[in-house]
Amino acid sequence: MKKNRFLLVLAMLLAVGLFLAACGSSDDKEESTGNEGGSDNGGEGTEEASSDFSVAMVTDVGGVDDKSFNQSAWEGIKAFGSEHGFEKGAGFDYAQSSQDADYLPNLNRLVQQDYNLIYGIGYKLAEALSEVAKQNPETNFAIVDSVVEGDNVASITFKEHQGSFLAGVAAAMKTTSNKVGFVGGEESPLIKKFEVGFRAGVQSVNPDIEVEVQYAESFADATKGKAIAANMYDNGIDVIYHASGATGNGVFAEAKDIKNNDPDAQVWVIGVDRDQYEEGQIGDHNVTLTSMVKRVDVAVQDVAQRAMDGDFPGGEVLEYGIKEDGVGVATTNEEAFTEEIATSVDEWKQKILDGDVEVPATEDELKTYLDSL
């Protein structure tokens, strides 16, 4: 009898415990749903969509740690994830591409993993992203540095020629040999914008400065970048602007080797896409004059937020220039980027903003511009 009474009491205690736990779980879930996603739009449907939102990117061959374009995009996605309490693999992630053939399967894999927004980082992914976007109209996509048509695709572009113009002004003010260089990755209309804008900026300051241009035909060949830089520095060039992704790591390596062997050597590198000041550090010296900063991180984060808020700019071409703070130059190396250089850069920047200077983006436009000087 006592045994039966004990079992009855135990069963009642267990039932009460389960009931209280269920109540607690319900309260916790409601509070979590209300806080996740960070949306101010209100409404149960919006909050649920926000808490379930996920974003991922596919790199080009430069890789997520290229210290340049892809890395900047990844930093933007990580910042977006951190802001909303997401974690890598549970809210945001990336797929690394080691060759062009990886683009299509990487995009398809992320679609299969049900990511709400998928980025293709770089113009080289345009064809693959266009194909996958057409096959998956319910998924949102964004392409950086290219334009892909589709109601579920946002195209993110930049006025790289404007930022490169300012980098050219800095190079012209810094050179003592009147010889500067440009190292490109793969020659294309996009990278020509970097080259043409840079040449225009240099020769706006001094038309007598020589600008040597070489392309590595790769965004992932640091050895080739180092060899090109070595040849340029040997020929008297003292400032090199690179727009070559991970290939540019070789440009920095060569400048640092020269500086290491001769601390008095005046060799400089202008970085690209993100502030590459740290890449130029060697002992007490730094060979990074400045960097043409392209705020891929800001653009990626902005579009992701809009998508999560239900305002995805599908079918639109978004363009970020000087006016939108989408491009500019870094001033981190205050010792090298002197007040005189900064003042000159600011003056030319204002001319662009005022419409007094229309920065060329193609060879034909450059010829017309230089003829007008």
Side-chain angles (χ1 to χ4, degrees):
M1 184 72 176
K2 290 182 178 180
K3 182 176 181 181
N4 290 339
R5 189 173 300 156
F6 171 78
L7 291 174
L8 179 61
V9 171
L10 179 61
M12 291 176 66
L13 288 173
L14 286 172
V16 171
L18 288 171
F19 174 78
L20 291 174
C23 291
S25 296
S26 177
D27 291 342
D28 291 344
K29 183 177 181 181
E30 185 175 338
E31 182 178 348
S32 176
T33 302
N35 291 335
E36 282 183 5
S39 174
D40 294 326
N41 294 335
E44 183 177 351
T46 301
E47 289 175 350
E48 286 183 3
S50 298
S51 65
D52 292 337
F53 187 81
S54 59
V55 57
M57 61 174 257
V58 176
T59 75
D60 71 7
V61 294
V64 76
D65 56 354
D66 63 353
K67 299 180 175 63
S68 184
F69 185 74
N70 290 278
Q71 186 167 333
S72 181
W74 178 234
E75 287 170 354
I77 287 179
K78 286 195 295 183
F80 171 79
S82 176
E83 180 182 352
H84 296 289
F86 301 155
E87 295 181 359
K88 183 179 180 298
F92 67 95
D93 211 339
Y94 72 91
Q96 186 109 329
S97 304
S98 58
Q99 56 185 343
D100 292 0
D102 294 335
Y103 301 151
L104 197 61
N106 277 340
L107 288 166
N108 278 318
R109 178 164 60 83
L110 294 178
V111 170
Q112 292 165 5
Q113 293 174 352
D114 292 327
Y115 282 95
N116 301 103
L117 173 60
I118 300 171
Y119 286 95
I121 308 302
Y123 72 92
K124 297 182 72 177
L125 280 86
E127 184 177 348
L129 188 139
S130 177
E131 179 180 338
V132 176
K134 289 175 182 176
Q135 295 170 350
N136 299 276
E138 300 304 314
T139 301
N140 287 330
F141 297 85
I143 182 77
V144 178
D145 271 355
S146 188
V147 175
V148 171
E149 295 183 0
D151 292 339
N152 61 332
V153 181
S155 299
I156 300 171
T157 64
F158 296 85
K159 296 181 180 179
E160 294 91 353
H161 49 303
Q162 291 185 344
S164 296
F165 183 98
L166 300 182
V169 170
M173 296 289 293
K174 193 67 177 179
T175 181
T176 57
S177 65
N178 279 353
K179 293 182 178 181
V180 301
F182 174 84
V183 176
E186 295 183 21
E187 189 167 353
S188 67
L190 172 65
I191 305 303
K192 289 295 287 187
K193 287 167 67 178
F194 288 85
E195 177 202 325
V196 166
F198 178 67
R199 289 164 59 192
V202 169
Q203 299 195 316
S204 292
V205 175
N206 183 354
D208 294 328
I209 294 176
E210 296 178 26
V211 184
E212 183 177 335
V213 175
Q214 289 193 46
Y215 282 85
E217 296 307 327
S218 172
F219 291 104
D221 191 344
T223 301
K224 184 72 174 291
K226 193 174 191 303
I228 292 174
N231 184 62
M232 285 186 172
Y233 289 132
D234 284 346
N235 289 334
I237 287 171
D238 53 2
V239 182
I240 297 176
Y241 172 39
H242 92 87
S244 56
T247 297
N249 296 339
V251 178
F252 278 103
E254 180 60 26
K256 290 194 289 186
D257 282 351
I258 293 172
K259 195 72 173 177
N260 189 48
N261 292 327
D262 180 6
D264 294 326
Q266 295 300 301
V267 290
W268 301 101
V269 182
I270 297 178
V272 75
D273 292 334
R274 62 194 294 271
D275 187 353
Q276 295 191 309
Y277 176 80
E278 292 183 0
E279 277 61 63
Q281 193 68 47
I282 175 170
D284 296 331
H285 303 284
N286 195 299
V287 298
T288 304
L289 171 60
T290 182
S291 300
M292 198 290 278
V293 179
K294 188 164 87 169
R295 298 309 303 271
V296 180
D297 55 339
V298 171
V300 164
Q301 195 170 354
D302 177 46
V303 172
Q305 185 63 53
R306 290 181 63 179
M308 192 173 78
D309 290 343
D311 184 33
F312 178 68
E316 296 182 27
V317 177
L318 310 174
E319 190 173 32
Y320 299 80
I322 287 179
K323 183 179 179 180
E324 298 77 20
D325 291 324
V327 296
V329 291
T331 59
T332 313
N333 192 348
E334 295 179 357
E335 184 177 348
F337 196 86
T338 63
E339 185 175 340
E340 182 183 11
I341 294 175
T343 299
S344 183
V345 166
D346 285 343
E347 288 173 353
W348 283 101
K349 177 181 178 180
Q350 193 58 50
K351 290 179 182 179
I352 295 171
L353 289 171
D354 292 342
D356 297 332
V357 171
E358 186 70 31
V359 181
T362 67
E363 284 284 355
D364 289 342
E365 291 175 0
L366 177 64
K367 185 178 185 306
T368 301
Y369 177 80
L370 295 179
D371 288 343
S372 70
L373 294 178

Coordinates of all heavy atoms in Angstrom, one line a residue, residues 196-274:
V196 N 42.9 52.8 -65.7 CA 42.7 54.1 -66.4 C 42.5 55.2 -65.4 O 43.0 56.3 -65.5 CB 41.4 53.9 -67.3 CG1 40.9 55.3 -67.7 CG2 41.7 53.1 -68.5
G197 N 41.7 54.9 -64.3 CA 41.6 56.0 -63.3 C 42.9 56.4 -62.6 O 43.1 57.5 -62.4
F198 N 43.7 55.4 -62.4 CA 45.0 55.6 -61.8 C 45.9 56.5 -62.7 O 46.5 57.5 -62.3 CB 45.7 54.3 -61.5 CG 47.1 54.4 -60.9 CD1 47.3 54.9 -59.6 CD2 48.2 54.0 -61.7 CE1 48.6 55.0 -59.1 CE2 49.5 54.1 -61.1 CZ 49.7 54.6 -59.8
R199 N 46.0 56.1 -64.0 CA 46.8 56.9 -64.9 C 46.3 58.3 -65.0 O 47.1 59.3 -65.1 CB 46.8 56.2 -66.3 CG 47.6 54.9 -66.3 CD 47.2 54.0 -67.5 NE 47.4 54.7 -68.8 CZ 47.0 54.3 -70.0 NH1 46.3 53.1 -70.0 NH2 47.3 54.9 -71.1
A200 N 45.0 58.5 -65.0 CA 44.4 59.8 -65.1 C 44.8 60.7 -63.9 O 45.1 61.8 -64.0 CB 42.9 59.7 -65.2
G201 N 44.7 60.0 -62.7 CA 45.1 60.8 -61.5 C 46.6 61.2 -61.5 O 46.9 62.3 -61.1
V202 N 47.4 60.2 -61.9 CA 48.9 60.5 -61.9 C 49.1 61.7 -62.8 O 49.8 62.7 -62.5 CB 49.7 59.3 -62.4 CG1 51.1 59.7 -62.7 CG2 49.6 58.2 -61.3
Q203 N 48.6 61.6 -64.0 CA 49.0 62.6 -65.0 C 48.2 63.9 -64.9 O 48.6 64.9 -65.5 CB 48.9 62.0 -66.4 CG 49.8 60.8 -66.6 CD 50.0 60.3 -68.0 OE1 49.1 60.2 -68.8 NE2 51.3 60.1 -68.3
S204 N 47.2 63.9 -64.1 CA 46.5 65.2 -63.7 C 47.4 66.0 -62.9 O 47.4 67.3 -63.0 CB 45.2 64.9 -63.0 OG 44.2 64.3 -63.8
V205 N 48.2 65.4 -62.1 CA 49.2 66.1 -61.2 C 50.4 66.5 -62.0 O 50.9 67.6 -61.9 CB 49.6 65.2 -60.0 CG1 50.7 65.9 -59.2 CG2 48.4 64.9 -59.1
N206 N 50.9 65.5 -62.8 CA 52.2 65.8 -63.6 C 52.1 64.9 -64.8 O 52.4 63.7 -64.7 CB 53.4 65.4 -62.7 CG 54.7 65.8 -63.5 OD1 54.7 66.1 -64.7 ND2 55.8 65.6 -62.8
P207 N 51.8 65.5 -66.0 CA 51.7 64.7 -67.2 C 53.1 64.1 -67.7 O 53.1 63.2 -68.6 CB 51.2 65.7 -68.2 CG 51.5 67.0 -67.7 CD 51.5 66.9 -66.2
D208 N 54.2 64.5 -67.0 CA 55.5 64.0 -67.4 C 55.8 62.7 -66.7 O 56.8 62.0 -67.0 CB 56.6 65.0 -67.2 CG 56.4 66.3 -68.1 OD1 55.9 66.1 -69.2 OD2 56.7 67.4 -67.6
I209 N 55.0 62.3 -65.7 CA 55.3 61.0 -65.0 C 55.0 59.8 -65.9 O 54.0 59.8 -66.5 CB 54.5 61.0 -63.7 CG1 54.9 62.1 -62.7 CG2 54.7 59.6 -63.0 CD1 54.1 62.1 -61.4
E210 N 56.0 58.9 -65.9 CA 55.8 57.7 -66.7 C 55.0 56.7 -65.9 O 55.2 56.5 -64.7 CB 57.1 57.0 -67.1 CG 58.0 57.9 -68.0 CD 59.3 57.2 -68.3 OE1 59.4 56.0 -68.2 OE2 60.3 57.9 -68.6
V211 N 54.0 56.0 -66.5 CA 53.2 55.0 -65.8 C 53.4 53.7 -66.6 O 52.9 53.6 -67.8 CB 51.7 55.3 -65.8 CG1 50.9 54.3 -65.0 CG2 51.5 56.7 -65.2
E212 N 54.0 52.7 -66.0 CA 54.2 51.4 -66.6 C 53.1 50.5 -66.1 O 52.8 50.4 -65.0 CB 55.6 50.8 -66.3 CG 55.8 49.4 -66.9 CD 57.2 48.9 -66.6 OE1 58.1 49.7 -66.3 OE2 57.3 47.6 -66.7
V213 N 52.5 49.7 -67.1 CA 51.4 48.9 -66.8 C 51.7 47.4 -67.2 O 52.2 47.2 -68.3 CB 50.1 49.3 -67.6 CG1 49.0 48.3 -67.3 CG2 49.7 50.7 -67.1
Q214 N 51.5 46.5 -66.2 CA 51.7 45.1 -66.5 C 50.5 44.3 -65.9 O 50.1 44.6 -64.8 CB 53.0 44.5 -66.0 CG 54.2 45.0 -66.8 CD 55.5 44.3 -66.5 OE1 55.5 43.0 -66.4 NE2 56.5 45.0 -66.2
Y215 N 50.1 43.2 -66.6 CA 49.1 42.3 -66.1 C 49.7 41.0 -65.8 O 50.4 40.4 -66.6 CB 47.9 42.2 -67.0 CG 47.0 43.4 -67.0 CD1 47.2 44.6 -67.7 CD2 45.8 43.4 -66.2 CE1 46.4 45.7 -67.7 CE2 45.0 44.5 -66.1 CZ 45.3 45.6 -66.9 OH 44.4 46.7 -66.8
A216 N 49.3 40.4 -64.6 CA 49.8 39.1 -64.2 C 49.0 38.0 -64.8 O 49.4 36.8 -64.8 CB 49.8 39.0 -62.7
E217 N 47.8 38.3 -65.4 CA 46.8 37.3 -65.9 C 46.4 36.3 -64.9 O 46.1 35.1 -65.1 CB 47.4 36.6 -67.2 CG 47.6 37.6 -68.3 CD 46.4 38.4 -68.7 OE1 45.3 37.9 -68.5 OE2 46.6 39.6 -69.1
S218 N 46.4 36.7 -63.6 CA 45.9 35.9 -62.5 C 45.7 36.8 -61.3 O 46.3 37.8 -61.1 CB 47.0 34.8 -62.1 OG 46.6 34.1 -61.0
F219 N 44.7 36.4 -60.5 CA 44.4 37.0 -59.2 C 44.9 36.2 -58.1 O 44.6 36.5 -56.9 CB 42.9 37.2 -59.1 CG 42.3 38.3 -60.0 CD1 41.6 37.9 -61.1 CD2 42.5 39.6 -59.8 CE1 41.1 38.8 -62.0 CE2 42.0 40.6 -60.6 CZ 41.3 40.2 -61.8
A220 N 45.6 35.1 -58.4 CA 46.1 34.2 -57.3 C 47.5 33.7 -57.5 O 47.8 32.6 -57.1 CB 45.1 33.0 -57.2
D221 N 48.4 34.6 -58.1 CA 49.7 34.2 -58.3 C 50.7 35.2 -57.7 O 51.2 36.1 -58.4 CB 50.0 34.1 -59.9 CG 51.3 33.4 -60.2 OD1 52.2 33.3 -59.3 OD2 51.5 33.0 -61.4
A222 N 50.9 35.0 -56.4 CA 51.8 35.9 -55.7 C 53.3 35.9 -56.3 O 54.0 36.9 -56.3 CB 51.9 35.6 -54.2
T223 N 53.7 34.7 -56.8 CA 55.0 34.6 -57.3 C 55.2 35.5 -58.6 O 56.2 36.2 -58.8 CB 55.3 33.1 -57.7 OG1 55.2 32.3 -56.6 CG2 56.7 33.0 -58.3
K224 N 54.1 35.5 -59.4 CA 54.2 36.3 -60.6 C 54.1 37.8 -60.2 O 54.8 38.7 -60.8 CB 52.9 36.0 -61.5 CG 52.9 36.7 -62.8 CD 54.0 36.2 -63.8 CE 53.8 36.9 -65.2 NZ 52.6 36.4 -65.9
G225 N 53.3 38.1 -59.2 CA 53.3 39.5 -58.7 C 54.6 40.0 -58.2 O 55.0 41.1 -58.5
K226 N 55.3 39.1 -57.5 CA 56.6 39.5 -57.0 C 57.6 39.7 -58.1 O 58.4 40.7 -58.1 CB 57.1 38.4 -56.0 CG 58.3 38.8 -55.2 CD 58.7 37.7 -54.2 CE 59.7 38.1 -53.2 NZ 60.9 38.6 -53.7
A227 N 57.6 38.9 -59.1 CA 58.5 39.0 -60.3 C 58.3 40.3 -61.0 O 59.2 41.0 -61.4 CB 58.4 37.8 -61.2
I228 N 57.0 40.7 -61.2 CA 56.7 41.9 -61.9 C 57.1 43.1 -61.1 O 57.7 44.0 -61.7 CB 55.2 42.0 -62.2 CG1 54.7 40.9 -63.2 CG2 54.8 43.4 -62.7 CD1 53.2 40.9 -63.5
A229 N 56.9 43.1 -59.8 CA 57.3 44.2 -59.0 C 58.8 44.3 -58.9 O 59.3 45.5 -59.0 CB 56.8 44.0 -57.5
A230 N 59.5 43.2 -58.9 CA 61.0 43.2 -58.9 C 61.5 43.9 -60.1 O 62.4 44.8 -60.1 CB 61.6 41.8 -58.8
N231 N 60.9 43.6 -61.3 CA 61.4 44.2 -62.5 C 61.1 45.7 -62.6 O 61.9 46.5 -63.0 CB 60.6 43.5 -63.7 CG 61.1 44.0 -65.0 OD1 62.3 43.9 -65.4 ND2 60.2 44.6 -65.8
M232 N 59.9 46.1 -62.0 CA 59.5 47.5 -62.0 C 60.5 48.3 -61.1 O 61.0 49.4 -61.5 CB 58.1 47.7 -61.6 CG 57.0 47.3 -62.6 SD 55.4 47.7 -62.0 CE 54.4 47.4 -63.5
Y233 N 60.7 47.8 -59.9 CA 61.5 48.5 -59.0 C 63.0 48.6 -59.5 O 63.6 49.6 -59.3 CB 61.5 47.8 -57.6 CG 60.3 48.0 -56.8 CD1 59.6 46.9 -56.2 CD2 59.7 49.3 -56.6 CE1 58.5 47.1 -55.5 CE2 58.5 49.4 -55.9 CZ 57.9 48.3 -55.3 OH 56.7 48.4 -54.6
D234 N 63.4 47.5 -60.2 CA 64.8 47.6 -60.8 C 64.9 48.6 -61.8 O 66.0 49.2 -62.1 CB 65.1 46.2 -61.4 CG 65.5 45.2 -60.3 OD1 65.7 45.6 -59.1 OD2 65.5 44.0 -60.6
N235 N 63.8 48.9 -62.5 CA 63.8 49.9 -63.6 C 63.5 51.4 -63.1 O 63.2 52.3 -63.9 CB 62.7 49.6 -64.6 CG 63.2 48.3 -65.4 OD1 64.3 48.0 -65.5 ND2 62.2 47.6 -66.0
G236 N 63.6 51.5 -61.8 CA 63.5 52.9 -61.2 C 62.1 53.3 -60.8 O 61.9 54.4 -60.2
I237 N 61.1 52.5 -60.9 CA 59.8 52.8 -60.4 C 59.8 52.7 -58.9 O 60.4 51.8 -58.3 CB 58.7 51.8 -61.0 CG1 58.5 52.1 -62.5 CG2 57.4 51.8 -60.2 CD1 57.7 51.0 -63.2
D238 N 59.2 53.7 -58.3 CA 59.2 53.7 -56.8 C 57.9 53.6 -56.1 O 57.8 53.5 -54.9 CB 60.0 55.0 -56.3 CG 59.5 56.3 -56.8 OD1 58.5 56.3 -57.6 OD2 60.1 57.3 -56.5
V239 N 56.8 53.7 -56.9 CA 55.5 53.5 -56.4 C 54.7 52.5 -57.3 O 54.6 52.8 -58.5 CB 54.7 54.8 -56.3 CG1 53.3 54.5 -55.7 CG2 55.4 55.8 -55.5
I240 N 54.1 51.5 -56.8 CA 53.3 50.5 -57.5 C 51.9 50.4 -56.9 O 51.8 50.2 -55.7 CB 54.0 49.1 -57.6 CG1 55.4 49.1 -58.2 CG2 53.1 48.1 -58.3 CD1 56.1 47.8 -58.2
Y241 N 51.0 50.6 -57.8 CA 49.6 50.4 -57.4 C 49.1 49.0 -58.0 O 49.2 48.8 -59.2 CB 48.7 51.5 -58.0 CG 47.2 51.3 -57.8 CD1 46.6 50.8 -56.7 CD2 46.3 51.8 -58.9 CE1 45.3 50.7 -56.5 CE2 45.0 51.7 -58.7 CZ 44.4 51.1 -57.6 OH 43.1 51.0 -57.4
H242 N 48.6 48.1 -57.1 CA 48.2 46.8 -57.6 C 46.7 46.7 -57.5 O 46.1 47.2 -56.5 CB 48.9 45.7 -56.9 CG 48.2 45.2 -55.7 ND1 47.2 44.2 -55.8 CD2 48.2 45.5 -54.4 CE1 46.7 43.9 -54.6 NE2 47.3 44.7 -53.7
A243 N 46.1 46.1 -58.5 CA 44.7 45.7 -58.5 C 44.6 44.3 -59.0 O 44.2 44.0 -60.1 CB 43.8 46.6 -59.4
S244 N 45.1 43.4 -58.1 CA 45.4 42.0 -58.6 C 45.0 40.9 -57.5 O 45.5 39.8 -57.6 CB 46.8 41.9 -59.0 OG 47.7 42.2 -57.9
G245 N 44.2 41.3 -56.5 CA 43.9 40.3 -55.5 C 45.0 39.7 -54.8 O 46.0 40.4 -54.4
A246 N 45.1 38.4 -54.7 CA 46.1 37.7 -53.9 C 47.5 37.8 -54.7 O 48.5 37.6 -54.1 CB 45.8 36.3 -53.7
T247 N 47.5 38.1 -56.0 CA 48.7 38.3 -56.7 C 49.5 39.5 -56.1 O 50.7 39.5 -56.1 CB 48.4 38.6 -58.2 OG1 47.8 37.4 -58.8 CG2 49.7 38.9 -59.0
G248 N 48.7 40.5 -55.6 CA 49.3 41.6 -55.0 C 50.2 41.3 -53.8 O 51.0 42.1 -53.4
N249 N 49.9 40.2 -53.2 CA 50.7 39.8 -52.0 C 52.2 39.7 -52.4 O 53.1 40.0 -51.6 CB 50.3 38.5 -51.4 CG 48.8 38.6 -50.9 OD1 48.3 39.7 -50.6 ND2 48.2 37.4 -50.7
G250 N 52.4 39.3 -53.6 CA 53.8 39.3 -54.1 C 54.4 40.6 -54.3 O 55.6 40.8 -54.1
V251 N 53.6 41.6 -54.7 CA 54.1 43.0 -54.8 C 54.6 43.5 -53.5 O 55.7 44.1 -53.3 CB 53.0 43.9 -55.4 CG1 53.5 45.3 -55.5 CG2 52.6 43.4 -56.8
F252 N 53.8 43.3 -52.5 CA 54.2 43.6 -51.1 C 55.4 42.9 -50.7 O 56.3 43.5 -50.0 CB 53.0 43.4 -50.1 CG 52.0 44.4 -50.1 CD1 50.7 44.2 -50.7 CD2 52.2 45.6 -49.4 CE1 49.7 45.2 -50.7 CE2 51.2 46.6 -49.4 CZ 50.0 46.4 -50.0
A253 N 55.5 41.6 -51.0 CA 56.7 40.8 -50.5 C 57.9 41.4 -51.1 O 59.0 41.5 -50.5 CB 56.5 39.4 -51.0
E254 N 57.9 41.8 -52.4 CA 59.1 42.3 -53.1 C 59.5 43.7 -52.5 O 60.7 43.9 -52.2 CB 58.8 42.5 -54.6 CG 60.0 43.0 -55.3 CD 61.3 42.1 -55.2 OE1 61.1 40.9 -55.0 OE2 62.4 42.7 -55.4
A255 N 58.5 44.5 -52.2 CA 58.8 45.8 -51.6 C 59.5 45.6 -50.2 O 60.4 46.3 -49.9 CB 57.6 46.7 -51.5
K256 N 58.9 44.7 -49.5 CA 59.5 44.5 -48.1 C 60.9 43.9 -48.2 O 61.7 44.2 -47.3 CB 58.5 43.6 -47.3 CG 57.2 44.3 -47.0 CD 56.4 43.6 -45.9 CE 55.7 42.4 -46.4 NZ 54.8 41.8 -45.4
D257 N 61.1 43.0 -49.2 CA 62.4 42.4 -49.3 C 63.5 43.5 -49.6 O 64.6 43.5 -49.0 CB 62.5 41.4 -50.4 CG 61.9 40.0 -50.0 OD1 61.6 39.9 -48.8 OD2 61.7 39.2 -50.9
I258 N 63.1 44.4 -50.5 CA 64.0 45.5 -50.8 C 64.2 46.4 -49.6 O 65.4 46.8 -49.3 CB 63.4 46.4 -52.0 CG1 63.4 45.6 -53.3 CG2 64.2 47.7 -52.2 CD1 62.6 46.2 -54.4
K259 N 63.2 46.7 -48.9 CA 63.3 47.5 -47.7 C 64.1 46.9 -46.6 O 64.9 47.5 -45.8 CB 61.9 47.9 -47.1 CG 61.9 49.0 -46.2 CD 62.1 50.3 -46.8 CE 61.9 51.5 -45.9 NZ 62.2 52.8 -46.5
N260 N 64.0 45.5 -46.5 CA 64.7 44.8 -45.5 C 66.2 44.8 -45.8 O 67.0 44.9 -44.9 CB 64.2 43.3 -45.5 CG 64.8 42.5 -44.3 OD1 64.8 43.0 -43.2 ND2 65.3 41.4 -44.6
N261 N 66.6 44.7 -47.1 CA 68.0 44.8 -47.5 C 68.6 46.2 -47.4 O 69.8 46.4 -47.2 CB 68.1 44.2 -48.9 CG 67.9 42.7 -48.9 OD1 68.1 42.0 -48.0 ND2 67.3 42.2 -50.0
D262 N 67.7 47.2 -47.6 CA 68.2 48.6 -47.6 C 67.1 49.4 -47.0 O 66.2 49.9 -47.7 CB 68.4 49.0 -49.0 CG 68.9 50.5 -49.1 OD1 69.2 51.1 -48.0 OD2 69.1 51.0 -50.2
P263 N 67.2 49.7 -45.7 CA 66.1 50.5 -45.0 C 65.9 51.9 -45.5 O 64.9 52.5 -45.3 CB 66.7 50.5 -43.5 CG 67.6 49.3 -43.4 CD 68.2 49.2 -44.8
D264 N 66.9 52.4 -46.3 CA 66.7 53.7 -46.8 C 66.1 53.7 -48.2 O 65.8 54.8 -48.8 CB 68.1 54.4 -46.9 CG 68.7 54.7 -45.6 OD1 68.0 54.9 -44.6 OD2 70.0 54.6 -45.4
A265 N 65.8 52.5 -48.7 CA 65.2 52.4 -50.1 C 63.8 53.0 -50.1 O 63.0 52.8 -49.1 CB 65.2 51.0 -50.5
Q266 N 63.5 53.8 -51.1 CA 62.2 54.4 -51.2 C 61.3 53.6 -52.2 O 61.3 53.9 -53.4 CB 62.3 55.9 -51.7 CG 63.1 56.8 -50.7 CD 62.3 56.8 -49.3 OE1 61.2 57.2 -49.3 NE2 63.0 56.5 -48.3
V267 N 60.7 52.6 -51.7 CA 59.8 51.8 -52.5 C 58.4 51.8 -51.8 O 58.4 51.6 -50.6 CB 60.3 50.4 -52.7 CG1 61.5 50.4 -53.7 CG2 60.7 49.7 -51.4
W268 N 57.4 51.9 -52.6 CA 56.1 52.0 -52.0 C 55.1 51.2 -52.8 O 55.2 50.9 -54.0 CB 55.6 53.5 -52.0 CG 56.5 54.4 -51.3 CD1 57.4 55.3 -51.8 CD2 56.6 54.6 -49.9 NE1 58.0 56.0 -50.8 CE2 57.6 55.5 -49.6 CE3 55.9 54.0 -48.8 CZ2 57.9 55.9 -48.3 CZ3 56.2 54.4 -47.5 CH2 57.2 55.4 -47.3
V269 N 54.1 50.7 -52.0 CA 53.0 50.0 -52.7 C 51.6 50.7 -52.3 O 51.5 51.1 -51.2 CB 52.9 48.5 -52.1 CG1 51.8 47.7 -52.8 CG2 54.2 47.8 -52.3
I270 N 50.8 50.7 -53.3 CA 49.4 51.2 -53.0 C 48.5 50.0 -53.1 O 48.4 49.3 -54.1 CB 48.9 52.2 -54.0 CG1 49.8 53.5 -53.9 CG2 47.5 52.6 -53.8 CD1 49.5 54.6 -55.0
G271 N 47.9 49.7 -51.9 CA 47.0 48.5 -51.9 C 45.7 48.7 -52.5 O 45.4 49.8 -53.1
V272 N 44.8 47.7 -52.4 CA 43.5 47.8 -53.1 C 42.4 47.1 -52.3 O 42.7 46.2 -51.6 CB 43.6 47.2 -54.5 CG1 43.7 45.6 -54.5 CG2 42.5 47.6 -55.5
D273 N 41.2 47.6 -52.5 CA 40.0 47.0 -52.0 C 39.8 47.2 -50.5 O 38.7 47.6 -50.1 CB 39.8 45.5 -52.3 CG 39.7 45.2 -53.8 OD1 39.2 46.1 -54.5 OD2 40.1 44.1 -54.3
R274 N 40.8 46.9 -49.7 CA 40.7 47.2 -48.3 C 42.0 47.8 -47.8 O 43.0 47.8 -48.6 CB 40.4 45.9 -47.5 CG 41.5 44.9 -47.6 CD 41.1 43.5 -47.1 NE 40.8 43.5 -45.7 CZ 41.8 43.2 -44.8 NH1 43.0 42.9 -45.2 NH2 41.5 43.1 -43.5

